[in-house]
Amino acid sequence: MPGTEYGIGISAMQGPNQSTPATMNARTGLDVPMDLTVTASTDTAITLVWGMVSGPIDHYKVTYTSSSGVTTEKTVAKDVTGTTLTDLEAGTEYTITVAARRGRQQSAAATIDAFTGIRPVTHLYLSDVTWDSAAAAWNAPAPPADLFILSYASADGMDTSKVTLEGTRTRSLVQDLLPSTRYTLLVVEAGVV
């Protein structure tokens, strides 16, 4: 069982005789908090949840570091598996870790990156490009988007369009494009309107 202390004894034996045992106590490593997830984000707060660890612990240690390098720690009670980080910088990426603690012992940490406010869509790419269409795909932000707005415009501004997509989507087919025309494609996360 993680985080459990065991007594260990070793004796020498010669024939029927046994020495006095050398004894020591040792504790197994602590369980790692699993399934660390961002469930909400505002301009100044990020809400997290994680799975409860097995084995005894004193508390959880949450550490968060902004992209500017400022690190803050927070203690969360052992029977609570979530917290909201507040007073954060708007529009900033944070690296967040959660570790279980018992005395001076600490588990390995679960880690996640999260943004305050609206996180930008990343890794936008096109595939299956034809003379009048292209498939656009992107990485889903965390926390999940409510909606995405996909817009595109030809270089001369004559052909433009905007489509609202469900926040669970990470791919869309852009159709009815003009042949031999350069386009700019933009995908942004949006709140419910």
Side-chain angles (χ1 to χ4, degrees):
M1 161 96 51
T4 302
E5 191 166 315
Y6 292 92
I8 301 167
I10 300 176
S11 298
M13 304 226 16
Q14 185 175 24
N17 299 324
Q18 180 175 345
S19 70
T20 304
T23 61
M24 69 175 288
N25 289 344
R27 185 181 290 166
T28 55
L30 298 177
D31 199 13
V32 179
M34 300 299 284
D35 303 321
L36 177 59
T37 306
V38 174
T39 58
S41 177
T42 68
D43 284 343
T44 59
I46 295 172
T47 301
L48 312 162
V49 296
W50 58 87
M52 184 169 286
V53 298
S54 58
I57 64 169
D58 295 335
H59 60 269
Y60 294 98
K61 181 175 96 172
V62 179
T63 304
Y64 47 105
T65 304
S66 69
S67 53
S68 61
V70 177
T71 299
T72 307
E73 290 185 3
K74 178 178 185 174
T75 299
V76 177
K78 65 182 177 184
D79 55 343
V80 177
T81 57
T83 190
T84 299
L85 310 177
T86 58
D87 300 321
L88 304 177
E89 298 174 46
T92 302
E93 182 177 25
Y94 284 84
T95 298
I96 304 163
T97 63
V98 178
R101 302 265 323 199
R102 183 173 183 207
R104 294 182 310 195
Q105 190 177 15
Q106 179 171 306
S107 72
T111 303
I112 194 167
D113 291 327
F115 276 83
T116 49
I118 295 176
R119 179 175 182 160
V121 170
T122 59
H123 299 98
L124 176 63
Y125 62 93
L126 298 175
S127 64
D128 303 324
V129 178
T130 70
W131 65 275
D132 70 341
S133 69
W138 55 91
N139 284 359
D146 293 327
L147 302 169
F148 289 111
I149 298 173
L150 182 147
S151 59
Y152 62 89
S154 60
D156 63 6
M158 298 300 290
D159 185 23
T160 64
S161 185
K162 185 190 302 187
V163 179
T164 302
L165 304 169
E166 294 178 20
T168 56
R169 299 274 303 267
T170 58
R171 185 174 174 86
S172 182
L173 183 62
V174 180
Q175 301 181 80
D176 301 324
L177 301 174
L178 299 174
S180 301
T181 304
R182 179 177 291 266
Y183 282 87
T184 299
L185 180 79
L186 180 66
V187 177
V188 295
E189 180 182 350
V192 177
V193 239

